[in-house]
Amino acid sequence: MEDVLANDIDTHHSRTPAGKPPRKRRVSAFSRRKVDDAYYWMAVPAAVIFAVFLYVPFVRGIMYSFTNSQGYGSCNWIGFQNYFALFRDERVGHAYLFTFLIAIAITVLINVIALFLSVALNGKIACKNGFRAIYFIPYTLAVLVIGYVFKYIFMQPLPELGKALGIGWLSESLLTSERYAWIPIVFLAVWQGVAYSVLIYLAGLQTVDSEVYEAAAIDGVNAWQKFWKITFPLIGPFFTINLVLTMKNALGTFDQVVALTDGGPNSKTETVTYLIWKGGLTGGEYAYQTANAVLFFIVLAIIAFIQLKFFGSKEKV
């Protein structure tokens, strides 16, 4: 046995050149960790593709915002004229105001409803997995397709129901009312957006140790105290990310407007994203609406930063 081990050791040493240290893995210039070559073969191509299809168009879009381009032909450099014009445009101002108002309504409603449903679905109820699947189905459906279905509902059955019940404001289609046309948009956005938020909250609830609830039960806390003092603080990070995502999606409301109101009546339901698409691609305002898109991107970044900074500081681990 000793002779076999000796032969193996001699064979191993014979394969390694004398005086040459073993080959070490490459070390990243930004870290002291040893990095395998496969990392570069996988990460670098992905970064290049990501830059070509995202950053390059983004930079070119910023450049176009300083021109008078109509999306085709030659264009001239006009500096910040598009940006100055945006702040004097009442239609743009109304679009931003309308977008912020419905975004706040959508964000609040989605998170309140999703929190309630996730806590209920996380409890000891029958057919729990079945209910989770049912609530997630709306998220898998195309917004435009469902939007046209809801458009028919708001145009035909709902007004008939309003007439039968004697409700004046519901007796006519909400989609044709300048005062109430925002309700179908918010309703559709909330109906579909709740599903994804429920999924995130359920993931957060799975991280809460059951022993915490057992200790609280011994202390005699009620259901509301258990939620507000224990559950909600412990899922704080999930609430923060949900708030950022729902606000971002709500500010980008587009498909719901296209399917339900097409910006009407009288341009009262135009969101910023809808206005950018409508004016930039079909209204001959390519550079002007590109400047609007750049401005909107800055607004979204500021809002997301404020949300993360404010709610992140209040999270409890």
Side-chain angles (χ1 to χ4, degrees):
M1 186 66 181
E2 293 178 355
D3 294 338
V4 174
L5 292 174
N7 291 333
D8 289 341
I9 294 173
D10 293 340
T11 303
H12 175 75
H13 284 296
S14 63
R15 291 177 182 174
T16 304
K20 187 177 180 180
R23 183 174 177 271
K24 295 181 178 181
R25 292 180 178 178
R26 186 183 304 176
V27 178
S28 171
F30 305 99
S31 174
R32 294 183 178 181
R33 296 182 301 171
K34 296 179 180 179
V35 180
D36 194 276
D37 292 339
Y39 168 84
Y40 297 99
W41 286 108
M42 297 177 66
V44 173
V48 172
I49 294 173
F50 192 78
V52 169
F53 289 98
L54 181 65
Y55 294 129
V56 172
F58 179 75
V59 173
R60 288 181 63 88
I62 294 176
M63 294 173 60
Y64 275 118
S65 69
F66 295 101
T67 68
N68 61 354
S69 173
Q70 295 182 345
Y72 57 89
S74 60
C75 59
N76 299 318
W77 188 269
I78 60 173
F80 288 91
Q81 292 185 25
N82 288 326
Y83 292 92
F84 294 147
L86 287 173
F87 290 96
R88 298 191 299 266
D89 194 332
E90 293 183 0
R91 187 179 180 185
V92 173
H94 178 271
Y96 272 87
L97 179 61
F98 178 75
T99 301
F100 289 141
L101 290 177
I102 67 170
I104 293 172
I106 292 171
T107 302
V108 172
L109 289 173
I110 284 180
N111 282 277
V112 170
I113 297 173
L115 263 175
F116 174 79
L117 291 177
S118 59
V119 172
L121 292 173
N122 194 56
K124 297 179 180 180
I125 60 175
C127 304
K128 181 164 53 178
N129 293 331
F131 281 115
R132 291 179 179 180
I134 291 173
Y135 284 118
F136 191 73
I137 287 176
Y139 188 77
T140 64
L141 304 175
V143 182
L144 281 175
V145 176
I146 300 302
Y148 289 121
V149 174
F150 273 90
K151 184 175 184 177
Y152 169 77
I153 294 174
F154 283 107
M155 290 291 292
Q156 297 292 335
L158 202 59
E160 293 297 328
L161 179 63
K163 292 177 182 178
L165 297 176
I167 304 176
W169 62 273
L170 196 60
S171 299
E172 297 182 0
S173 175
L174 298 178
L175 300 176
T176 60
S177 171
E178 294 186 7
R179 184 176 183 182
Y180 299 113
W182 61 274
I183 295 177
I185 298 174
V186 172
F187 181 86
L188 178 56
V190 172
W191 179 80
Q192 191 166 44
V194 163
Y196 190 71
S197 295
V198 167
L199 192 67
I200 295 178
Y201 282 131
L202 281 173
L205 291 171
Q206 300 300 316
T207 64
V208 181
D209 194 345
S210 60
E211 294 181 357
V212 178
Y213 293 130
E214 294 173 0
I218 295 175
D219 292 336
V221 300
N222 55 38
W224 172 250
Q225 290 174 331
K226 183 174 71 173
F227 170 77
W228 190 246
K229 298 295 184 180
I230 300 174
T231 303
F232 188 73
L234 291 177
I235 63 172
F238 296 89
F239 176 76
T240 299
I241 192 63
N242 242 340
L243 204 65
V244 173
L245 290 176
T246 51
M247 177 62 79
K248 187 268 295 180
N249 292 333
L251 288 171
T253 300
F254 173 77
D255 293 337
Q256 295 86 349
V257 177
V258 173
L260 294 173
T261 64
D262 200 27
N266 196 23
S267 300
K268 292 298 183 180
T269 59
E270 286 183 336
T271 59
V272 178
T273 52
Y274 177 85
L275 185 61
I276 292 171
W277 169 76
K278 190 75 172 180
L281 296 182
T282 63
E285 302 175 343
Y286 182 79
Y288 181 66
Q289 295 301 337
T290 301
N292 193 10
V294 174
L295 178 63
F296 193 51
F297 168 79
I298 296 173
V299 172
L300 290 179
I302 293 174
I303 292 175
F305 175 79
I306 294 174
Q307 285 181 307
L308 291 172
K309 196 73 175 177
F310 178 77
F311 290 100
S313 62
K314 297 183 178 299
E315 291 176 2
K316 296 181 181 181
V317 181

